[in-house]
Every structure is written in structure tokens, then in C-alpha cells.
Amino acid sequence: MANEEAKTETKAKTKGAVKTTDLIESTAALIEKMDQKTATDTAKELIESSNFNFFKLGGVLSVIQSNGWWAEGGFETFRNYIETEFGLQHRKAMYYIAIYNGLVESDVPWEKVKDLGWTKLRVITEILTKENVDEIVEKASAMTTLQLEDFVREYKKGSLTTTEGEDTKSDDNKVTTFTVKVHEDQKETIN
């Protein structure tokens, strides 16, 4: 009953929301009027664009950084600019910039890497090429970020390859989680 009242109240609020300037209310008004096809299509579009937005943000921040525009605002450092102007952690901004620059330099198409997410992309962009993208993305999809970081380290050392002569060293280091509940005295024995 309370749920229906909340729905009615929400609908009543959003009917007049077309003229409002509140982003939440105006967005809710548009969303609640969607039919099934529009909602499904919009959800797919939003999922795809959310991953691409961090790539675009990295590009914009890269341009700001490389042109020194942050200094024109009176900021002493790029870090200070990023954190003050955008409330974005410097480290995350630098990851976005590295992803943008790495993907642009490697000339890898977005379609090949779009499903990975920015955390894994951050790790692999330094080794990605047009030639190895399919194999690296396949490996990255099956690994945790920590495993992927180890893989990239080994790959950069040259002890791993991504061709038919693939080294099995990376398979030996697979990490798994094992959880079990035991009594205190059993825990000591296991440790």
C-alpha cells in the first residue's frame, strides 16, 4: 500500500516536472514516460556510453594538461587544478589520461576494449597494440586486476608471449579464493 502511495506521489510530482530546473525531477519525468523499447534501448546506450565517458574525460584532461590551461586559472599544479575544479582524485585523473593516450597511440578500436572497464584498461593500455588486442583483451577478461598486473609485468619483461608459443608461466599463478568456517583451534592448525 505504501509503495503504491509513493508511486502515485512520484507520478504527481513528475507530471509537472517538465518545467522544473531540477535535474533529478526532469530526468525522472522523462524516464517514467518511457515505453519498453525506449527503456531497453536507453539502458543499452547508457551502459555503453558510461564506459566511453571516462575515455573522453581522459582526453579532455590530457588536452588541458598538455596545453597548460590549468596554470591559466592560477593553479600551482595540475593536481591542485584537478582536485579543486573537478573534485576528482589526481590519481584517477592520471589513469583516465593514460588510458586515453594509450588507446589513441595504439590505434586500437573502442569496440575491441569496450567491455573491459577502466580499471583493467588502465593496466593493459601500455602493452596493447592492434596486433595483440584480441589476445590481451581475452586474457584480461578472464583475470582479476591483480592477476592482470602480474601478467603485464611479466609480459613487459619478455617472459610471456601472446602467440602460439605461449608460456604457461601465467597459468601457474592463478589465484583462487577458498573460504571455510572452522573452530578457533582448527584455524591455528590450518594456519
Side-chain angles (χ1 to χ4, degrees):
M1 185 75 167
N3 222 4
E4 287 183 25
E5 288 174 3
K7 269 187 176 178
T8 306
E9 185 177 316
T10 302
K11 286 182 181 178
K13 285 181 183 177
T14 58
K15 282 184 181 178
V18 176
K19 294 182 181 180
T20 186
T21 58
D22 181 60
L23 192 56
I24 292 174
E25 287 182 21
S26 61
T27 302
L30 292 173
I31 289 172
E32 291 178 14
K33 292 177 184 176
M34 289 182 177
D35 60 27
Q36 181 181 1
K37 180 172 178 11
T38 305
T40 302
D41 292 345
T42 302
K44 287 178 184 176
E45 182 182 311
L46 288 171
I47 289 168
E48 288 180 18
S49 70
S50 68
N51 283 339
F52 193 69
N53 281 340
F54 74 78
F55 171 77
K56 290 194 296 189
L57 178 57
V60 171
L61 294 175
S62 180
V63 168
I64 291 170
Q65 182 185 37
S66 64
N67 287 310
W69 294 337
W70 55 270
E72 292 175 16
F75 293 94
E76 291 181 28
T77 63
F78 182 65
R79 173 187 214 121
N80 188 261
Y81 171 77
I82 289 296
E83 292 174 352
T84 304
E85 283 295 301
F86 304 112
L88 186 64
Q89 292 177 343
H90 179 257
R91 184 177 192 178
K92 194 173 202 176
M94 297 311 290
Y95 287 155
Y96 288 168
I97 291 170
I99 291 168
Y100 172 82
N101 290 333
L103 291 177
V104 168
E105 288 170 17
S106 67
D107 202 25
V108 169
W110 179 251
E111 285 300 311
K112 301 265 186 177
V113 297
K114 71 178 184 174
D115 295 327
L116 279 183
W118 77 268
T119 305
K120 287 185 178 182
L121 271 177
R122 156 189 80 77
V123 176
I124 66 169
T125 51
E126 60 188 295
I127 63 168
L128 274 184
T129 65
K130 283 177 98 170
E131 294 74 31
N132 73 8
V133 65
D134 292 329
E135 290 180 77
I136 297 291
V137 167
E138 184 180 330
K139 287 181 182 299
S141 297
M143 294 181 184
T144 66
T145 303
L146 292 175
Q147 291 170 324
L148 191 56
E149 287 171 346
D150 289 341
F151 171 80
V152 169
R153 246 188 314 280
E154 293 298 316
Y155 184 87
K156 286 168 45 178
K157 286 181 188 175
S159 62
L160 294 176
T161 61
T162 58
T163 60
E164 288 116 23
E166 186 171 330
D167 190 332
T168 57
K169 206 184 262 189
S170 63
D171 291 338
D172 294 341
N173 294 327
K174 286 196 176 184
V175 175
T176 185
T177 302
F178 180 75
T179 306
V180 64
K181 291 183 180 186
V182 296
H183 296 282
E184 281 297 317
D185 60 326
Q186 293 172 321
K187 181 178 176 182
E188 288 177 32
T189 304
I190 292 170
N191 284 336

